[in-house]
Amino acid sequence: MDTSSETKRDGQRQRETARESLLKFVDALDGREAVSDSPGLRRHLSVLLDSQGISPQRLVHTAVSSLKSSPQFRVWLEDAERRDVSAIREKLGCPEDVEALDDPLFHRLLRRAIVADFSIERLLTTLRHIYLEWLTRGGHEFSEAQLRIAASVACHCFNTEHIYVTGDEEQEMVEDLRKRLQEQIATENGNGLAIGLIGYAMYAPLWTLGASEKILRIRSRHGLQELDEILERQIREYEEEAAIRKEIRSLGMSGEPVTAEVRQQYEESPYPRWLDVTLPRPVRFAEAMERRFPFLGKIETGEPVKILVAGCGTGSHPIQVATHYSDAEVLAMDISKASLARAIRQAPRYGLSNLEFMHGDLLCLETSELQFDAIECIGVLHTLEDPAAGFRALMHVLRPGGYMRIGVYSRRARLGLEPAKRLIESRQIGRSPVELRAIRDEIIADRQRLGSSLIENYDFFYLSGFRDLLCPAYELLFTPSELNKLLRDLKLTFLGYRNIDPELRQSYRERFPQDLEMRDLDLLDQFEEDHPEMLWSLHIFWVRKDLS
């Protein structure tokens, strides 16, 4: 008996069991409210936020509620809500008060996630303003705790793509700080440089200083360890992505004007913004499809199963697909080289050998000789002037009997965005970061009137997400009946939705017992009319191409 092989198998089984337990724990925490101030829960959340293969965003709600359960932390939020800058400045200078912010969970949350919470946003904008004032006036001696908090605030501002609005006086101080830093960097003087760079990083990425090489040289010469994470993310990763962009192979662009506008949006604002993804449990593709749709019976596929992710964005989607299907070979493509560069930079840390990336317009697939067993296309077809043409291009490279997973916007689910969109349209603004920050701040101030749960979602709290949510270059919306006509014309068989809440599924089946598999789009249209929350934002569904 080969004991070494058996030992390896045992080790693999133990790792899989441990991973399974961890995922179940994260599932149990996802979206839950912490009901008491528990140091033990905070410690667990801090560790989970640092765990690779777990999306930090799944833990944000629980982590925020855990922090808010602390009376000491709540006092900071209350002062920020009252805009009592003097009280926060005083607390920031008091070691006993600072302990509530110098908390491992608060640090990990700010550095590893995008916090979708208005009260914490108010606190962070107040904190960064105070740090900027101290840096502008000079003479302030920063404690180690103050430095740690400042670095975490700077990391989070970068996570949000510096979405927080900046007043005119504040912007003048930022410009003064920028000039002073550039002069200091030019002489390679490391004295007091760390906190200056941290302060600047709260308002703009460090690469905008235009002296990346010198900053890194000063870091190696003078220490400045508190800058390491900021330098890694705001200089080294930026330069790596710039180099990657030059090497990406391309299928080509169609030349469609609307597609060109959409591409410009995502070149300027790569989307979505993510720091880690939850890696799904591996399963063979046929087994996964048989579980989803038992009525299909036994599914036969070749090996490897060739899958195209059309419109892969910044990579979280294809990484999950390549991880989920153990027998798959995945090609991910997108029209934005900026998005692809971020995807290509992040993918290697997941150790995937079955994932490749390519630039290109999906409309160009209509002349391609590539062939796939399955295609995933989420959030793309509704950005085309002619979605049917997009479907036809995808069908051209899909083998007979192949499967497609599609995601397009729901007309009814997105009605809640209309008041905010009308406000944006009335202001006739451009799409520069300054304009987007200003209109977002106006929406926040009037959110009770404009109110929608969609406005308070994850995308609202980072710049490229906000632009995609409320200021897209182009979008179309669909009802189930409209999709039904489109799919019939294309001779695609609708297999079913995968993003409907279990309780709503049960309600639908009770109302329409003749459609227990939920495959009649006209009946689903009637149900969605009464339950516009049925799909939250997107129709996500599977279709099958005819065998002929």
Side-chain angles (χ1 to χ4, degrees), residues 34-104:
V35 295
S36 63
D37 182 12
S38 168
L41 177 60
R42 288 206 299 273
R43 283 195 299 272
H44 283 305
L45 287 167
S46 298
V47 172
L48 287 172
L49 282 165
D50 258 344
S51 299
Q52 183 166 308
I54 300 292
S55 170
Q57 292 308 130
R58 297 188 63 192
L59 301 166
V60 167
H61 184 81
T62 307
V64 167
S65 65
S66 179
L67 288 167
K68 287 183 176 180
S69 68
S70 162
Q72 292 81 9
F73 188 84
R74 283 201 304 272
V75 171
W76 286 87
L77 296 180
E78 290 162 4
D79 287 342
E81 191 61 33
R82 292 195 304 270
R83 292 175 169 77
D84 194 341
V85 178
S86 298
I88 292 178
R89 187 184 294 110
E90 185 178 337
K91 284 186 177 64
L92 203 51
C94 175
E96 291 78 14
D97 290 328
V98 164
E99 283 182 9
L101 299 188
D102 193 25
D103 179 294

Side-chain angles (χ1 to χ4, degrees), residues 339-480:
S339 295
L340 281 168
R342 191 161 300 169
I344 293 167
R345 176 182 62 76
Q346 301 208 83
R349 73 178 194 249
Y350 297 98
L352 297 168
S353 59
N354 62 336
L355 175 60
E356 292 185 0
F357 293 91
M358 181 173 68
H359 173 258
D361 183 342
L362 71 80
L363 292 173
C364 292
L365 290 170
E366 199 152 21
T367 58
S368 171
E369 295 181 1
L370 295 168
Q371 281 287 287
F372 299 93
D373 301 293
I375 295 173
E376 299 219 1
C377 185
I378 308 296
V380 178
L381 293 170
H382 57 234
T383 67
L384 301 179
E385 190 171 22
D386 181 3
F391 265 111
R392 287 192 294 270
L394 294 174
M395 291 170 68
H396 177 75
V397 294
L398 183 66
R399 68 167 178 79
Y403 301 93
M404 284 199 289
R405 179 173 176 247
I406 302 296
V408 292
Y409 283 146
S410 164
R411 184 181 303 280
R412 295 184 180 111
R414 293 177 70 82
L415 280 174
L417 293 178
E418 287 307 307
K421 286 189 168 187
R422 284 195 294 271
L423 173 66
I424 292 168
E425 187 177 348
S426 72
R427 296 294 185 266
Q428 297 183 327
I429 64 165
R431 298 297 182 260
S432 71
V434 171
E435 291 169 297
L436 292 174
R437 291 180 191 118
I439 195 65
R440 178 181 180 272
D441 203 49
E442 191 173 345
I443 291 170
I444 291 172
D446 199 16
R447 66 182 183 273
Q448 297 303 320
R449 182 179 66 86
L450 299 172
S452 162
S453 58
L454 283 173
I455 288 177
E456 299 190 12
N457 78 0
Y458 165 54
D459 280 354
F460 190 82
F461 288 81
Y462 65 103
L463 203 60
S464 56
F466 177 80
R467 183 175 181 180
D468 189 76
L469 184 70
L470 293 172
C471 311
Y474 187 83
E475 68 177 14
L476 293 172
L477 308 175
F478 297 87
T479 64

Side-chain angles (χ1 to χ4, degrees), residues 16 52 56 68 75 86 174 177 221 264 271 344 385 458 506 521:
E16 288 174 358
Q52 183 166 308
K68 287 183 176 180
V75 171
S86 298
V174 173
L177 177 61
R221 188 179 302 161
Q264 181 180 350
Y271 176 86
I344 293 167
E385 190 171 22
Y458 165 54
Q506 183 60 33
L521 282 163

Side-chain angles (χ1 to χ4, degrees), residues 9 49-50 63-64 132 155 217 279 320 340 535:
R9 283 194 291 272
L49 282 165
D50 258 344
V64 167
L132 182 63
C155 285
R217 190 159 59 238
L279 299 180
Q320 289 176 309
L340 281 168
L535 298 168

